[in-house]
């Protein structure tokens, strides 16, 4: 395996550990321990860590210490508001093109959640990913999937996002968006997606007050 491939593999594994909460925010990272865990030398490891620094997943303090960056509630709400504007417009645009096979498949999955199916946070997050990316693709917006992936990765690192384990409401909100797109009703699709993000914001603030 080449040094570059080793670096890419280490980057993916370390980032997943952070995104899935196995490495907590504000954790101090040791290059020596990470190199041992990943089974690689310092050179590809430092390449992986540099990429995570550029993505602001980790930061290097003035004394050289590497720290997993935390995501504040304020940052999380800002992301929600930004995505509300962008994705509401995308949903309205998607309605101009109609239902895709990808969205139809996701609707069936969401119907199961709406009817009470429960899974772990990370499992639902993956399905939620598929929904939002499918709307972007249905809108034929080529740059949007990458933008969403970046913003969702940041939001996922905020600890309050992981406190929820019931997803029926989110699923019903997703279904409302998909149904509006299927009906070719751009105004309804925009309103349904906007309401979804209003509810996401309310749920986040509700979990914070517990």
């Amino acid at each position: 395996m080449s040094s570059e491939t080793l670096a890419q593999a280490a980057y993916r594994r370390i980032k997943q550990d952070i995104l899935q909460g196995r490495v907590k925010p504000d954790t101090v990272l040791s290059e020596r321990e990470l190199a041992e865990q990943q089974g690689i030398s310092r050179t590809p490891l430092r390449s992986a860590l540099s990429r995570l620094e550029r993505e602001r997943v980790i930061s290097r303090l003035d004394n050289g210490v590497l720290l997993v960056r935390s995501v504040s509630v304020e940052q999380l709400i800002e992301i929600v508001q930004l995505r509300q504007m962008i994705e509401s417009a995308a949903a309205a645009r998607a309605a101009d093109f109609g239902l895709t096979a990808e969205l139809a498949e996701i609707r069936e999955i969401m119907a199961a959640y709406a009817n009470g199916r429960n899974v772990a946070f990370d499992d639902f997050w993956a399905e939620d990913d598929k929904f939002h990316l499918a709307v972007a693709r249905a809108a034929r917006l080529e740059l949007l999937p990458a933008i969403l992936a970046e913003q969702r990765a940041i939001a996922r690192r905020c600890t309050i996002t992981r406190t929820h384990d019931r997803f029926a409401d989110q699923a019903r909100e997703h279904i409302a968006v998909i149904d509006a797109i299927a009906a070719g009703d751009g105004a309804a699709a925009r309103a349904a997606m906007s309401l979804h993000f209003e509810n996401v914001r309310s749920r986040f603030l509700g979990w914070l007050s517990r």
Side-chain angles (χ1 to χ4, degrees):
M1 184 180 287
S2 70
S3 177
E4 180 62 24
T5 303
L6 285 170
Q8 290 173 345
Y11 159 80
R12 288 193 299 271
R13 288 193 294 263
I14 295 169
K15 187 172 183 178
Q16 282 303 306
D17 283 344
I18 293 171
L19 291 181
Q20 295 181 9
R22 291 188 289 269
V23 179
K24 305 297 184 185
D26 299 319
T27 296
V28 173
L29 300 177
S30 162
E31 287 191 10
R32 179 182 59 80
E33 291 179 2
L34 285 172
E36 291 176 357
Q37 291 169 4
Q38 301 297 323
I40 59 176
S41 68
R42 294 287 183 93
T43 299
L45 175 66
R46 284 171 178 163
S47 178
L49 294 176
S50 292
R51 185 173 175 184
L52 291 169
E53 281 189 75
R54 290 194 299 272
E55 294 180 2
R56 300 175 64 81
V57 175
I58 64 176
S59 59
R60 191 178 295 274
L61 305 183
D62 291 341
N63 60 3
V65 170
L66 285 171
L67 194 70
V68 177
R69 293 174 63 97
S70 60
V71 176
S72 69
V73 174
E74 290 77 14
Q75 288 174 296
L76 180 63
I77 297 303
E78 184 175 341
I79 289 171
V80 170
Q81 292 172 331
L82 174 64
R83 289 184 56 201
Q84 181 179 25
M85 291 186 290
I86 295 173
E87 294 193 60
S88 296
R93 177 180 165 89
D96 291 338
F97 300 104
L99 186 68
T100 62
E102 185 179 22
L103 281 173
E105 181 180 348
I106 292 170
R107 192 192 188 288
E108 292 185 11
I109 294 169
M110 290 299 152
Y113 289 115
N115 289 326
R117 178 188 177 195
N118 288 317
V119 293
F121 169 86
D122 288 315
D123 293 328
F124 184 80
W125 187 276
E127 303 291 5
D128 191 60
D129 258 336
K130 293 176 183 177
F131 164 74
H132 288 282
L133 293 176
V135 172
R137 284 191 282 264
R140 304 183 187 181
L141 295 168
E142 295 182 3
L143 298 181
L144 185 54
I147 294 171
L148 295 183
E150 179 183 10
Q151 295 303 311
R152 286 176 63 82
I154 296 171
R156 191 175 180 182
R157 295 187 352 250
C158 185
T159 55
I160 68 167
T161 64
R162 308 187 66 87
T163 61
H164 194 51
D165 60 358
R166 295 292 183 271
F167 308 105
D169 289 341
Q170 289 97 312
R172 284 189 284 268
E173 291 159 17
H174 291 172
I175 289 170
V177 173
I178 295 171
D179 287 349
I181 291 172
D185 190 335
R190 182 190 297 272
M193 185 68 87
S194 182
L195 178 60
H196 170 54
F197 279 103
E198 287 291 337
N199 291 336
V200 166
R201 179 178 180 276
S202 295
R203 282 189 287 267
F204 283 157
L205 295 177
W207 302 334
L208 184 64
S209 66
R210 291 179 181 176

